[in-house]
Amino acid sequence: MSNVLLVEDDTTLAEGIRHALEREMFQVYIASDLAEARKAFDEECFDLILLDVMLPDGSGYDYCKEIRGKSSIPIIFLTACDEEVNVVLGLDIGGDDYIAKPFRVRELVSRIKAVLRRKSEDESTSVKFGSLEVDLIKGSISKHGEKIELTPIEWRLVKIFINNSNQVLTRTVILDKLWDQSGEFVDDNTLSVYIRRIRGKLEDRPSEPEYIQTVRGVGYKWNK
């Protein structure tokens, strides 16, 4: 049974989510503000956090940053604001997924299971690609022995490429793998931005990429 911390100040919505998740065999603890969330997180062991963005005593974004300073626990944002800039912000600071209100309970359950599944499917080995060393469990990557800082979404993209080495991945396939959904949160232009960022961090010559190569008219492949 997975233990979920639900941080939501709308008591009616929170109780509805709790009852729905309990029917799916989740155990749910409700915190109505950040103070309660901090106390619960310090006292209990949770497998996932459902985190509202707008809370009475602060921002869910700030709390996510706080959690990421000490834990890699999966975090799914719950919010009424689904503009792409907010989606990207939430994911870049450490969120694992983002669901906009109002949502169907079935969709929420599916998202939770997908995030927990991704967490459990991490491979248990370090792998080397030229000057890069990747630890798929710790979620770390180094180049020439120096640690490279990747945002959560950049790391997820790198994992997709590594797990499909030497396979050509279309942009649609990459987005589907990235979100376990239809890719509605990221368009082609945004994906291109992330690819450029990753190349800038991993490649010795980003304009002549050694690792993430473009297959013109098709997509990309991890060429190692």
Side-chain angles (χ1 to χ4, degrees), residues 178-224:
L178 186 61
W179 300 116
D180 269 343
Q181 295 290 326
S182 63
E184 66 271 24
F185 291 141
V186 178
D187 60 19
D188 277 356
N189 291 333
T190 308
L191 177 60
S192 297
V193 170
Y194 281 121
I195 296 295
R196 285 198 298 271
R197 286 184 187 174
I198 294 170
R199 283 173 170 165
K201 295 178 180 181
L202 302 189
E203 305 282 358
D204 290 328
R205 295 186 298 275
S207 61
E208 300 176 15
E210 176 185 0
Y211 299 104
I212 302 175
Q213 294 195 338
T214 299
V215 180
R216 192 170 300 280
V218 181
Y220 304 95
K221 74 171 181 178
W222 182 265
N223 194 40
K224 287 291 181 179

mmCIF file of all heavy atoms in Angstrom, residues 178-224:
data_model
loop_
_atom_site.group_PDB
_atom_site.id
_atom_site.type_symbol
_atom_site.label_atom_id
_atom_site.label_comp_id
_atom_site.label_asym_id
_atom_site.label_seq_id
_atom_site.Cartn_x
_atom_site.Cartn_y
_atom_site.Cartn_z
ATOM 1 N N LEU A 178 7.816 10.574 -22.315
ATOM 2 C CA LEU A 178 8.102 11.570 -21.284
ATOM 3 C C LEU A 178 6.948 11.727 -20.311
ATOM 4 O O LEU A 178 7.131 11.871 -19.113
ATOM 5 C CB LEU A 178 8.431 12.907 -21.952
ATOM 6 C CG LEU A 178 8.903 14.051 -21.067
ATOM 7 C CD1 LEU A 178 10.196 13.686 -20.357
ATOM 8 C CD2 LEU A 178 9.092 15.298 -21.895
ATOM 9 N N TRP A 179 5.741 11.700 -20.809
ATOM 10 C CA TRP A 179 4.582 12.010 -19.959
ATOM 11 C C TRP A 179 3.674 10.834 -19.670
ATOM 12 O O TRP A 179 2.733 10.968 -18.898
ATOM 13 C CB TRP A 179 3.745 13.106 -20.629
ATOM 14 C CG TRP A 179 4.520 14.350 -20.838
ATOM 15 C CD1 TRP A 179 4.858 14.920 -22.017
ATOM 16 C CD2 TRP A 179 5.100 15.182 -19.829
ATOM 17 N NE1 TRP A 179 5.602 16.044 -21.823
ATOM 18 C CE2 TRP A 179 5.773 16.228 -20.478
ATOM 19 C CE3 TRP A 179 5.119 15.126 -18.429
ATOM 20 C CZ2 TRP A 179 6.445 17.215 -19.789
ATOM 21 C CZ3 TRP A 179 5.794 16.110 -17.750
ATOM 22 C CH2 TRP A 179 6.443 17.132 -18.428
ATOM 23 N N ASP A 180 3.904 9.680 -20.312
ATOM 24 C CA ASP A 180 2.965 8.568 -20.199
ATOM 25 C C ASP A 180 1.565 9.007 -20.618
ATOM 26 O O ASP A 180 0.561 8.439 -20.210
ATOM 27 C CB ASP A 180 2.889 8.011 -18.766
ATOM 28 C CG ASP A 180 3.886 6.892 -18.541
ATOM 29 O OD1 ASP A 180 4.380 6.339 -19.538
ATOM 30 O OD2 ASP A 180 4.146 6.573 -17.376
ATOM 31 N N GLN A 181 1.504 10.080 -21.386
ATOM 32 C CA GLN A 181 0.233 10.606 -21.870
ATOM 33 C C GLN A 181 0.438 11.002 -23.325
ATOM 34 O O GLN A 181 1.273 10.431 -24.013
ATOM 35 C CB GLN A 181 -0.205 11.823 -21.023
ATOM 36 C CG GLN A 181 -0.514 11.477 -19.567
ATOM 37 C CD GLN A 181 -1.780 10.670 -19.420
ATOM 38 O OE1 GLN A 181 -2.714 10.851 -20.169
ATOM 39 N NE2 GLN A 181 -1.803 9.780 -18.444
ATOM 40 N N SER A 182 -0.312 11.969 -23.819
ATOM 41 C CA SER A 182 -0.254 12.337 -25.233
ATOM 42 C C SER A 182 0.752 13.430 -25.539
ATOM 43 O O SER A 182 0.890 13.853 -26.675
ATOM 44 C CB SER A 182 -1.641 12.799 -25.697
ATOM 45 O OG SER A 182 -2.021 13.966 -24.988
ATOM 46 N N GLY A 183 1.454 13.911 -24.525
ATOM 47 C CA GLY A 183 2.442 14.966 -24.744
ATOM 48 C C GLY A 183 1.844 16.357 -24.763
ATOM 49 O O GLY A 183 2.439 17.276 -25.319
ATOM 50 N N GLU A 184 0.672 16.553 -24.135
ATOM 51 C CA GLU A 184 0.002 17.843 -24.234
ATOM 52 C C GLU A 184 0.734 18.969 -23.517
ATOM 53 O O GLU A 184 0.519 20.140 -23.808
ATOM 54 C CB GLU A 184 -1.437 17.762 -23.705
ATOM 55 C CG GLU A 184 -1.568 17.488 -22.209
ATOM 56 C CD GLU A 184 -1.620 16.015 -21.866
ATOM 57 O OE1 GLU A 184 -1.108 15.197 -22.669
ATOM 58 O OE2 GLU A 184 -2.167 15.669 -20.809
ATOM 59 N N PHE A 185 1.631 18.637 -22.597
ATOM 60 C CA PHE A 185 2.293 19.679 -21.827
ATOM 61 C C PHE A 185 3.484 20.305 -22.563
ATOM 62 O O PHE A 185 3.961 21.351 -22.174
ATOM 63 C CB PHE A 185 2.789 19.116 -20.491
ATOM 64 C CG PHE A 185 1.689 18.764 -19.536
ATOM 65 C CD1 PHE A 185 1.778 17.632 -18.760
ATOM 66 C CD2 PHE A 185 0.563 19.561 -19.430
ATOM 67 C CE1 PHE A 185 0.772 17.309 -17.872
ATOM 68 C CE2 PHE A 185 -0.445 19.243 -18.543
ATOM 69 C CZ PHE A 185 -0.340 18.108 -17.771
ATOM 70 N N VAL A 186 4.010 19.659 -23.576
ATOM 71 C CA VAL A 186 5.192 20.158 -24.277
ATOM 72 C C VAL A 186 4.955 20.072 -25.774
ATOM 73 O O VAL A 186 4.609 19.015 -26.285
ATOM 74 C CB VAL A 186 6.444 19.336 -23.910
ATOM 75 C CG1 VAL A 186 7.657 19.831 -24.689
ATOM 76 C CG2 VAL A 186 6.707 19.394 -22.412
ATOM 77 N N ASP A 187 5.141 21.179 -26.481
ATOM 78 C CA ASP A 187 5.030 21.136 -27.929
ATOM 79 C C ASP A 187 6.410 20.926 -28.536
ATOM 80 O O ASP A 187 7.418 20.823 -27.842
ATOM 81 C CB ASP A 187 4.359 22.407 -28.471
ATOM 82 C CG ASP A 187 5.137 23.669 -28.131
ATOM 83 O OD1 ASP A 187 6.345 23.562 -27.801
ATOM 84 O OD2 ASP A 187 4.543 24.764 -28.207
ATOM 85 N N ASP A 188 6.465 20.854 -29.868
ATOM 86 C CA ASP A 188 7.721 20.583 -30.552
ATOM 87 C C ASP A 188 8.778 21.631 -30.248
ATOM 88 O O ASP A 188 9.961 21.308 -30.066
ATOM 89 C CB ASP A 188 7.488 20.520 -32.073
ATOM 90 C CG ASP A 188 6.979 19.152 -32.509
ATOM 91 O OD1 ASP A 188 6.885 18.263 -31.645
ATOM 92 O OD2 ASP A 188 6.684 18.987 -33.696
ATOM 93 N N ASN A 189 8.371 22.888 -30.191
ATOM 94 C CA ASN A 189 9.333 23.956 -29.930
ATOM 95 C C ASN A 189 9.950 23.832 -28.548
ATOM 96 O O ASN A 189 11.152 24.029 -28.364
ATOM 97 C CB ASN A 189 8.661 25.324 -30.082
ATOM 98 C CG ASN A 189 8.303 25.637 -31.518
ATOM 99 O OD1 ASN A 189 8.938 25.143 -32.436
ATOM 100 N ND2 ASN A 189 7.279 26.448 -31.718
ATOM 101 N N THR A 190 9.119 23.512 -27.550
ATOM 102 C CA THR A 190 9.630 23.362 -26.190
ATOM 103 C C THR A 190 10.575 22.173 -26.093
ATOM 104 O O THR A 190 11.618 22.249 -25.421
ATOM 105 C CB THR A 190 8.464 23.179 -25.196
ATOM 106 O OG1 THR A 190 7.519 24.233 -25.374
ATOM 107 C CG2 THR A 190 8.974 23.206 -23.764
ATOM 108 N N LEU A 191 10.237 21.070 -26.767
ATOM 109 C CA LEU A 191 11.135 19.916 -26.776
ATOM 110 C C LEU A 191 12.481 20.296 -27.378
ATOM 111 O O LEU A 191 13.540 19.909 -26.857
ATOM 112 C CB LEU A 191 10.506 18.770 -27.569
ATOM 113 C CG LEU A 191 11.371 17.512 -27.720
ATOM 114 C CD1 LEU A 191 11.709 16.918 -26.357
ATOM 115 C CD2 LEU A 191 10.661 16.480 -28.595
ATOM 116 N N SER A 192 12.471 21.069 -28.457
ATOM 117 C CA SER A 192 13.724 21.497 -29.089
ATOM 118 C C SER A 192 14.574 22.313 -28.115
ATOM 119 O O SER A 192 15.809 22.179 -28.095
ATOM 120 C CB SER A 192 13.430 22.333 -30.342
ATOM 121 O OG SER A 192 12.760 21.573 -31.323
ATOM 122 N N VAL A 193 13.931 23.157 -27.320
ATOM 123 C CA VAL A 193 14.661 23.954 -26.325
ATOM 124 C C VAL A 193 15.350 23.043 -25.322
ATOM 125 O O VAL A 193 16.530 23.233 -24.981
ATOM 126 C CB VAL A 193 13.713 24.930 -25.609
ATOM 127 C CG1 VAL A 193 14.418 25.579 -24.406
ATOM 128 C CG2 VAL A 193 13.222 26.011 -26.555
ATOM 129 N N TYR A 194 14.633 22.025 -24.829
ATOM 130 C CA TYR A 194 15.225 21.108 -23.859
ATOM 131 C C TYR A 194 16.387 20.331 -24.468
ATOM 132 O O TYR A 194 17.411 20.111 -23.804
ATOM 133 C CB TYR A 194 14.173 20.141 -23.320
ATOM 134 C CG TYR A 194 13.284 20.750 -22.269
ATOM 135 C CD1 TYR A 194 11.904 20.805 -22.443
ATOM 136 C CD2 TYR A 194 13.812 21.266 -21.093
ATOM 137 C CE1 TYR A 194 11.082 21.374 -21.490
ATOM 138 C CE2 TYR A 194 13.001 21.836 -20.126
ATOM 139 C CZ TYR A 194 11.632 21.885 -20.334
ATOM 140 O OH TYR A 194 10.832 22.448 -19.375
ATOM 141 N N ILE A 195 16.242 19.905 -25.718
ATOM 142 C CA ILE A 195 17.326 19.183 -26.379
ATOM 143 C C ILE A 195 18.566 20.068 -26.471
ATOM 144 O O ILE A 195 19.701 19.629 -26.207
ATOM 145 C CB ILE A 195 16.903 18.714 -27.786
ATOM 146 C CG1 ILE A 195 15.753 17.696 -27.705
ATOM 147 C CG2 ILE A 195 18.100 18.107 -28.525
ATOM 148 C CD1 ILE A 195 16.096 16.403 -27.035
ATOM 149 N N ARG A 196 18.383 21.347 -26.853
ATOM 150 C CA ARG A 196 19.518 22.264 -26.934
ATOM 151 C C ARG A 196 20.183 22.444 -25.573
ATOM 152 O O ARG A 196 21.418 22.486 -25.464
ATOM 153 C CB ARG A 196 19.072 23.619 -27.490
ATOM 154 C CG ARG A 196 18.799 23.620 -28.986
ATOM 155 C CD ARG A 196 18.784 25.039 -29.547
ATOM 156 N NE ARG A 196 17.727 25.854 -28.958
ATOM 157 C CZ ARG A 196 16.491 25.924 -29.441
ATOM 158 N NH1 ARG A 196 16.145 25.199 -30.495
ATOM 159 N NH2 ARG A 196 15.587 26.707 -28.865
ATOM 160 N N ARG A 197 19.361 22.560 -24.528
ATOM 161 C CA ARG A 197 19.923 22.721 -23.179
ATOM 162 C C ARG A 197 20.771 21.500 -22.797
ATOM 163 O O ARG A 197 21.877 21.641 -22.241
ATOM 164 C CB ARG A 197 18.793 22.879 -22.156
ATOM 165 C CG ARG A 197 18.082 24.217 -22.165
ATOM 166 C CD ARG A 197 17.074 24.212 -21.037
ATOM 167 N NE ARG A 197 16.212 25.373 -21.039
ATOM 168 C CZ ARG A 197 15.183 25.519 -20.217
ATOM 169 N NH1 ARG A 197 14.911 24.583 -19.319
ATOM 170 N NH2 ARG A 197 14.424 26.604 -20.263
ATOM 171 N N ILE A 198 20.237 20.316 -23.050
ATOM 172 C CA ILE A 198 20.950 19.089 -22.684
ATOM 173 C C ILE A 198 22.249 18.982 -23.466
ATOM 174 O O ILE A 198 23.298 18.636 -22.908
ATOM 175 C CB ILE A 198 20.056 17.857 -22.935
ATOM 176 C CG1 ILE A 198 18.846 17.884 -21.997
ATOM 177 C CG2 ILE A 198 20.849 16.568 -22.723
ATOM 178 C CD1 ILE A 198 17.793 16.842 -22.323
ATOM 179 N N ARG A 199 22.194 19.269 -24.750
ATOM 180 C CA ARG A 199 23.423 19.226 -25.559
ATOM 181 C C ARG A 199 24.466 20.197 -25.017
ATOM 182 O O ARG A 199 25.659 19.893 -24.975
ATOM 183 C CB ARG A 199 23.100 19.551 -27.014
ATOM 184 C CG ARG A 199 22.466 18.400 -27.783
ATOM 185 C CD ARG A 199 22.031 18.846 -29.159
ATOM 186 N NE ARG A 199 21.639 17.725 -30.000
ATOM 187 C CZ ARG A 199 20.952 17.851 -31.131
ATOM 188 N NH1 ARG A 199 20.586 19.060 -31.548
ATOM 189 N NH2 ARG A 199 20.651 16.790 -31.841
ATOM 190 N N GLY A 200 24.006 21.369 -24.603
ATOM 191 C CA GLY A 200 24.934 22.352 -24.065
ATOM 192 C C GLY A 200 25.637 21.865 -22.812
ATOM 193 O O GLY A 200 26.758 22.292 -22.512
ATOM 194 N N LYS A 201 25.005 20.964 -22.075
ATOM 195 C CA LYS A 201 25.586 20.449 -20.842
ATOM 196 C C LYS A 201 26.418 19.180 -21.067
ATOM 197 O O LYS A 201 27.428 18.972 -20.383
ATOM 198 C CB LYS A 201 24.481 20.161 -19.826
ATOM 199 C CG LYS A 201 23.730 21.409 -19.365
ATOM 200 C CD LYS A 201 22.613 21.062 -18.397
ATOM 201 C CE LYS A 201 21.880 22.325 -17.945
ATOM 202 N NZ LYS A 201 20.788 22.020 -16.973
ATOM 203 N N LEU A 202 25.997 18.342 -22.013
ATOM 204 C CA LEU A 202 26.645 17.043 -22.185
ATOM 205 C C LEU A 202 27.723 17.035 -23.265
ATOM 206 O O LEU A 202 28.711 16.309 -23.146
ATOM 207 C CB LEU A 202 25.608 15.962 -22.536
ATOM 208 C CG LEU A 202 24.449 15.722 -21.579
ATOM 209 C CD1 LEU A 202 23.682 14.461 -22.009
ATOM 210 C CD2 LEU A 202 24.930 15.580 -20.148
ATOM 211 N N GLU A 203 27.507 17.788 -24.304
ATOM 212 C CA GLU A 203 28.374 17.686 -25.475
ATOM 213 C C GLU A 203 29.606 18.576 -25.354
ATOM 214 O O GLU A 203 29.535 19.696 -24.845
ATOM 215 C CB GLU A 203 27.599 18.086 -26.742
ATOM 216 C CG GLU A 203 26.312 17.305 -26.980
ATOM 217 C CD GLU A 203 26.570 15.915 -27.547
ATOM 218 O OE1 GLU A 203 27.761 15.574 -27.786
ATOM 219 O OE2 GLU A 203 25.594 15.178 -27.752
ATOM 220 N N ASP A 204 30.746 18.087 -25.847
ATOM 221 C CA ASP A 204 31.947 18.918 -25.936
ATOM 222 C C ASP A 204 31.763 19.987 -27.008
ATOM 223 O O ASP A 204 32.217 21.120 -26.852
ATOM 224 C CB ASP A 204 33.164 18.049 -26.262
ATOM 225 C CG ASP A 204 33.563 17.157 -25.095
ATOM 226 O OD1 ASP A 204 33.359 17.579 -23.937
ATOM 227 O OD2 ASP A 204 34.069 16.051 -25.341
ATOM 228 N N ARG A 205 31.089 19.609 -28.102
ATOM 229 C CA ARG A 205 30.777 20.553 -29.179
ATOM 230 C C ARG A 205 29.281 20.447 -29.477
ATOM 231 O O ARG A 205 28.865 19.624 -30.312
ATOM 232 C CB ARG A 205 31.606 20.247 -30.425
ATOM 233 C CG ARG A 205 33.107 20.435 -30.235
ATOM 234 C CD ARG A 205 33.876 20.249 -31.544
ATOM 235 N NE ARG A 205 33.694 18.902 -32.059
ATOM 236 C CZ ARG A 205 34.429 17.858 -31.692
ATOM 237 N NH1 ARG A 205 35.399 18.005 -30.797
ATOM 238 N NH2 ARG A 205 34.201 16.675 -32.218
ATOM 239 N N PRO A 206 28.460 21.238 -28.801
ATOM 240 C CA PRO A 206 27.008 21.130 -28.969
ATOM 241 C C PRO A 206 26.534 21.257 -30.410
ATOM 242 O O PRO A 206 25.526 20.658 -30.785
ATOM 243 C CB PRO A 206 26.470 22.287 -28.108
ATOM 244 C CG PRO A 206 27.523 22.489 -27.075
ATOM 245 C CD PRO A 206 28.822 22.243 -27.785
ATOM 246 N N SER A 207 27.255 22.018 -31.237
ATOM 247 C CA SER A 207 26.852 22.172 -32.632
ATOM 248 C C SER A 207 27.164 20.927 -33.460
ATOM 249 O O SER A 207 26.643 20.762 -34.567
ATOM 250 C CB SER A 207 27.548 23.387 -33.256
ATOM 251 O OG SER A 207 28.953 23.226 -33.232
ATOM 252 N N GLU A 208 28.030 20.056 -32.930
ATOM 253 C CA GLU A 208 28.344 18.783 -33.567
ATOM 254 C C GLU A 208 28.148 17.675 -32.532
ATOM 255 O O GLU A 208 29.102 17.082 -32.036
ATOM 256 C CB GLU A 208 29.785 18.786 -34.088
ATOM 257 C CG GLU A 208 30.064 19.876 -35.113
ATOM 258 C CD GLU A 208 31.518 19.908 -35.521
ATOM 259 O OE1 GLU A 208 32.247 18.925 -35.230
ATOM 260 O OE2 GLU A 208 31.930 20.908 -36.118
ATOM 261 N N PRO A 209 26.894 17.386 -32.171
ATOM 262 C CA PRO A 209 26.615 16.492 -31.037
ATOM 263 C C PRO A 209 27.120 15.066 -31.250
ATOM 264 O O PRO A 209 26.971 14.483 -32.324
ATOM 265 C CB PRO A 209 25.088 16.524 -30.938
ATOM 266 C CG PRO A 209 24.621 16.958 -32.283
ATOM 267 C CD PRO A 209 25.672 17.883 -32.800
ATOM 268 N N GLU A 210 27.721 14.553 -30.189
ATOM 269 C CA GLU A 210 28.235 13.187 -30.194
ATOM 270 C C GLU A 210 27.206 12.208 -29.637
ATOM 271 O O GLU A 210 27.150 11.054 -30.045
ATOM 272 C CB GLU A 210 29.518 13.123 -29.353
ATOM 273 C CG GLU A 210 30.102 11.742 -29.193
ATOM 274 C CD GLU A 210 31.302 11.733 -28.264
ATOM 275 O OE1 GLU A 210 31.664 12.811 -27.742
ATOM 276 O OE2 GLU A 210 31.869 10.645 -28.071
ATOM 277 N N TYR A 211 26.386 12.692 -28.693
ATOM 278 C CA TYR A 211 25.462 11.806 -27.995
ATOM 279 C C TYR A 211 24.045 11.887 -28.575
ATOM 280 O O TYR A 211 23.525 10.894 -29.098
ATOM 281 C CB TYR A 211 25.457 12.135 -26.500
ATOM 282 C CG TYR A 211 26.812 11.960 -25.863
ATOM 283 C CD1 TYR A 211 27.601 13.062 -25.546
ATOM 284 C CD2 TYR A 211 27.310 10.689 -25.601
ATOM 285 C CE1 TYR A 211 28.855 12.902 -24.982
ATOM 286 C CE2 TYR A 211 28.562 10.514 -25.035
ATOM 287 C CZ TYR A 211 29.341 11.623 -24.727
ATOM 288 O OH TYR A 211 30.577 11.460 -24.183
ATOM 289 N N ILE A 212 23.401 13.027 -28.443
ATOM 290 C CA ILE A 212 22.036 13.182 -28.959
ATOM 291 C C ILE A 212 22.111 13.717 -30.374
ATOM 292 O O ILE A 212 22.346 14.911 -30.585
ATOM 293 C CB ILE A 212 21.198 14.109 -28.066
ATOM 294 C CG1 ILE A 212 21.149 13.583 -26.634
ATOM 295 C CG2 ILE A 212 19.779 14.239 -28.623
ATOM 296 C CD1 ILE A 212 20.434 14.502 -25.665
ATOM 297 N N GLN A 213 21.918 12.846 -31.334
ATOM 298 C CA GLN A 213 22.030 13.239 -32.729
ATOM 299 C C GLN A 213 20.650 13.418 -33.356
ATOM 300 O O GLN A 213 19.714 12.683 -33.049
ATOM 301 C CB GLN A 213 22.826 12.199 -33.515
ATOM 302 C CG GLN A 213 24.283 12.109 -33.075
ATOM 303 C CD GLN A 213 25.144 11.362 -34.058
ATOM 304 O OE1 GLN A 213 24.660 10.566 -34.849
ATOM 305 N NE2 GLN A 213 26.449 11.603 -34.000
ATOM 306 N N THR A 214 20.538 14.399 -34.221
ATOM 307 C CA THR A 214 19.294 14.661 -34.939
ATOM 308 C C THR A 214 19.218 13.757 -36.169
ATOM 309 O O THR A 214 20.178 13.656 -36.931
ATOM 310 C CB THR A 214 19.227 16.131 -35.390
ATOM 311 O OG1 THR A 214 19.261 16.977 -34.243
ATOM 312 C CG2 THR A 214 17.930 16.388 -36.170
ATOM 313 N N VAL A 215 18.092 13.088 -36.321
ATOM 314 C CA VAL A 215 17.801 12.330 -37.538
ATOM 315 C C VAL A 215 16.817 13.186 -38.318
ATOM 316 O O VAL A 215 15.632 13.255 -37.981
ATOM 317 C CB VAL A 215 17.210 10.943 -37.221
ATOM 318 C CG1 VAL A 215 16.932 10.180 -38.515
ATOM 319 C CG2 VAL A 215 18.163 10.158 -36.322
ATOM 320 N N ARG A 216 17.318 13.864 -39.309
ATOM 321 C CA ARG A 216 16.551 14.894 -39.994
ATOM 322 C C ARG A 216 15.213 14.360 -40.514
ATOM 323 O O ARG A 216 15.145 13.316 -41.158
ATOM 324 C CB ARG A 216 17.353 15.476 -41.160
ATOM 325 C CG ARG A 216 16.743 16.744 -41.754
ATOM 326 C CD ARG A 216 17.713 17.382 -42.727
ATOM 327 N NE ARG A 216 18.974 17.768 -42.102
ATOM 328 C CZ ARG A 216 19.139 18.880 -41.390
ATOM 329 N NH1 ARG A 216 18.106 19.705 -41.222
ATOM 330 N NH2 ARG A 216 20.309 19.172 -40.862
ATOM 331 N N GLY A 217 14.154 15.118 -40.187
ATOM 332 C CA GLY A 217 12.832 14.762 -40.649
ATOM 333 C C GLY A 217 12.155 13.658 -39.852
ATOM 334 O O GLY A 217 11.004 13.295 -40.116
ATOM 335 N N VAL A 218 12.897 13.112 -38.839
ATOM 336 C CA VAL A 218 12.335 11.998 -38.064
ATOM 337 C C VAL A 218 12.319 12.320 -36.569
ATOM 338 O O VAL A 218 11.280 12.371 -35.933
ATOM 339 C CB VAL A 218 13.125 10.690 -38.304
ATOM 340 C CG1 VAL A 218 12.499 9.539 -37.499
ATOM 341 C CG2 VAL A 218 13.151 10.352 -39.781
ATOM 342 N N GLY A 219 13.501 12.532 -36.003
ATOM 343 C CA GLY A 219 13.576 12.767 -34.556
ATOM 344 C C GLY A 219 15.004 12.784 -34.089
ATOM 345 O O GLY A 219 15.856 13.453 -34.668
ATOM 346 N N TYR A 220 15.305 11.992 -33.040
ATOM 347 C CA TYR A 220 16.633 11.974 -32.448
ATOM 348 C C TYR A 220 17.012 10.537 -32.077
ATOM 349 O O TYR A 220 16.163 9.666 -31.974
ATOM 350 C CB TYR A 220 16.670 12.823 -31.162
ATOM 351 C CG TYR A 220 16.232 14.255 -31.330
ATOM 352 C CD1 TYR A 220 14.921 14.637 -31.068
ATOM 353 C CD2 TYR A 220 17.153 15.236 -31.720
ATOM 354 C CE1 TYR A 220 14.510 15.950 -31.210
ATOM 355 C CE2 TYR A 220 16.756 16.554 -31.859
ATOM 356 C CZ TYR A 220 15.446 16.905 -31.605
ATOM 357 O OH TYR A 220 15.060 18.211 -31.747
ATOM 358 N N LYS A 221 18.321 10.362 -31.842
ATOM 359 C CA LYS A 221 18.765 9.087 -31.274
ATOM 360 C C LYS A 221 19.990 9.316 -30.413
ATOM 361 O O LYS A 221 20.784 10.247 -30.637
ATOM 362 C CB LYS A 221 19.074 8.056 -32.362
ATOM 363 C CG LYS A 221 20.360 8.287 -33.133
ATOM 364 C CD LYS A 221 20.658 7.084 -34.028
ATOM 365 C CE LYS A 221 21.960 7.283 -34.802
ATOM 366 N NZ LYS A 221 22.278 6.101 -35.631
ATOM 367 N N TRP A 222 20.133 8.469 -29.384
ATOM 368 C CA TRP A 222 21.321 8.469 -28.527
ATOM 369 C C TRP A 222 22.348 7.598 -29.222
ATOM 370 O O TRP A 222 22.198 6.390 -29.305
ATOM 371 C CB TRP A 222 20.959 7.898 -27.158
ATOM 372 C CG TRP A 222 22.088 7.898 -26.163
ATOM 373 C CD1 TRP A 222 22.938 6.870 -25.896
ATOM 374 C CD2 TRP A 222 22.478 8.967 -25.291
ATOM 375 N NE1 TRP A 222 23.829 7.220 -24.918
ATOM 376 C CE2 TRP A 222 23.575 8.502 -24.525
ATOM 377 C CE3 TRP A 222 21.991 10.267 -25.093
ATOM 378 C CZ2 TRP A 222 24.199 9.286 -23.572
ATOM 379 C CZ3 TRP A 222 22.626 11.047 -24.137
ATOM 380 C CH2 TRP A 222 23.697 10.573 -23.387
ATOM 381 N N ASN A 223 23.396 8.231 -29.752
ATOM 382 C CA ASN A 223 24.323 7.568 -30.658
ATOM 383 C C ASN A 223 25.477 6.898 -29.908
ATOM 384 O O ASN A 223 26.648 7.108 -30.246
ATOM 385 C CB ASN A 223 24.866 8.582 -31.672
ATOM 386 C CG ASN A 223 25.562 7.916 -32.832
ATOM 387 O OD1 ASN A 223 25.101 6.898 -33.329
ATOM 388 N ND2 ASN A 223 26.693 8.467 -33.248
ATOM 389 N N LYS A 224 25.154 6.129 -28.888
ATOM 390 C CA LYS A 224 26.184 5.406 -28.122
ATOM 391 C C LYS A 224 25.666 4.034 -27.763
ATOM 392 O O LYS A 224 24.481 3.893 -27.432
ATOM 393 C CB LYS A 224 26.571 6.174 -26.862
ATOM 394 C CG LYS A 224 27.400 7.406 -27.092
ATOM 395 C CD LYS A 224 28.800 7.047 -27.563
ATOM 396 C CE LYS A 224 29.642 8.282 -27.780
ATOM 397 N NZ LYS A 224 31.013 7.943 -28.221
#
